[in-house]
Amino acid sequence: MWRTRRHWSPAAIAWFRDLLSSEERAKADAFHFEADRHRAIVGRGLLRHLLGTCLNRPPHALQIFAGLNGKPELVPALDAAPVAFNISHSGDWILVALAQQRAVGVDVEQMRSGMAVLEIAQQFFSEAERTGLAALPAAAREESFFICWTRKEAYIKARGDGLSLPLDSFDVSFRATDAARLLATRPDPGEASRWTVRDLPLGTGYHAAVAAAGSGWQLRQWHVDEHDLFEVCVMPTQSADSKRTRSASSSELARKPR
């Protein structure tokens, strides 16, 4: 998991933009506000940089398309590799998740005060989640809503179902004291045991979660900034020599935006 903020220098944003496809640039340019444009450019550019380094491919040459239900994927015939990815951004934060041989999804949300959380939950959450949320003290309800939302979105994005999987067809834990868990899935109750959900700490004002297929996987996290894009981008099965080589290659790439 790599995380970064949207605030990058104009030179770095231009470098990221050069990595994008014409379609990605058009989508980013369509945003009215500069903050939204920069968030889209940095997020997609960082994703390409990471994938290119991991796959030893030029980032701009990677062909990313919207797969089933719109989840971004690499074209298998061109970039066949056991690497799955997902991206999310909200407010100042951008998160990029890469996983080896397993589906992955990530979601980050900036908390907003004054939202009608019970009404929104009534429309989207499961019966168990709606009941539990309504029973909480008002002071805890808003935070629990965002915890619930990010855990549910991470799971849906990992599955790649988009809007085809109703948010009320599964239950997640959502209280601040609860460990992140997929509690129940319908109509197949066995589905809940096939996925693992974890929270991602981002500090005050944000909640984030990641979901991935299976259990027992290791979560590694890096913070990315302009002075050092990242320290290492390797899959766990690589040798020590391979790790040193890839780390050096990544450092060379990291110097380009300066």
Side-chain angles (χ1 to χ4, degrees):
M1 181 69 60
W2 285 264
R3 67 180 191 181
T4 190
R5 293 186 179 273
R6 66 174 174 83
H7 305 287
W8 291 66
S9 70
I13 291 172
W15 183 80
F16 277 133
R17 192 176 187 278
D18 286 342
L19 301 183
L20 307 185
S21 67
S22 57
E23 182 180 1
E24 288 170 330
R25 287 194 293 269
K27 287 183 177 179
D29 293 343
F31 285 107
H32 177 73
F33 295 106
E34 182 180 73
D36 296 326
R37 290 196 299 273
H38 288 179
R39 197 161 32 230
I41 291 169
V42 171
R44 203 60 174 237
L46 178 61
L47 170 65
R48 283 182 169 273
H49 174 71
L50 294 170
L51 285 172
T53 302
C54 287
L55 299 176
N56 196 27
R57 293 264 287 135
H60 67 274
L62 296 171
Q63 296 201 28
I64 301 174
F65 76 108
L68 186 65
N69 297 312
K71 185 177 182 180
E73 300 175 10
L74 290 167
V75 175
L78 299 175
D79 296 299
V83 179
F85 62 89
N86 201 230
I87 184 171
S88 181
H89 44 73
S90 180
D92 286 339
W93 282 111
I94 300 166
L95 303 182
V96 177
L98 269 62
Q100 184 185 33
Q101 297 179 325
R102 67 183 72 245
V104 65
V106 62
D107 188 63
V108 56
E109 299 292 339
Q110 182 178 26
M111 292 180 62
R112 297 174 293 281
S113 300
M115 292 181 59
V117 295
L118 290 181
E119 288 80 354
I120 298 172
Q122 188 67 33
Q123 184 177 359
F124 294 107
F125 289 1
S126 69
E127 181 179 355
E129 292 161 347
R130 295 195 302 266
T131 302
L133 196 66
L136 290 176
R141 196 175 294 152
E142 195 167 77
E143 181 176 16
S144 294
F145 169 85
F146 283 100
I147 292 173
C148 187
W149 188 271
T150 53
R151 292 174 182 176
K152 291 175 81 70
E153 281 292 319
Y155 169 61
I156 281 185
K157 293 179 70 178
R159 283 178 49 114
D161 289 312
L163 297 176
S164 66
L165 181 68
L167 284 169
D168 62 358
S169 67
F170 61 96
D171 308 332
V172 298
S173 57
F174 59 85
R175 296 174 181 85
T177 55
D178 294 340
R181 284 186 60 201
L182 182 59
L183 298 175
T185 49
R186 297 171 290 276
D188 178 8
E191 179 72 7
S193 65
R194 302 183 190 117
W195 299 86
T196 302
V197 183
R198 296 188 187 178
D199 290 329
L200 300 169
L202 287 180
T204 304
Y206 289 86
H207 278 288
V210 59
S215 60
W217 43 264
Q218 181 184 12
L219 176 62
R220 303 173 68 188
Q221 300 182 67
W222 290 269
H223 180 83
V224 184
D225 59 38
E226 189 167 342
H227 300 291
D228 185 15
L229 235 62
F230 54 87
E231 293 182 358
V232 63
C233 178
V234 296
M235 292 298 122
T237 55
Q238 290 181 312
S239 66
D241 289 341
S242 176
K243 288 182 181 181
R244 284 194 292 269
T245 302
R246 185 60 55 85
S247 180
S249 174
S250 300
S251 298
E252 292 173 5
L253 286 169
R255 285 195 289 270
K256 289 186 178 180
R258 292 184 180 178

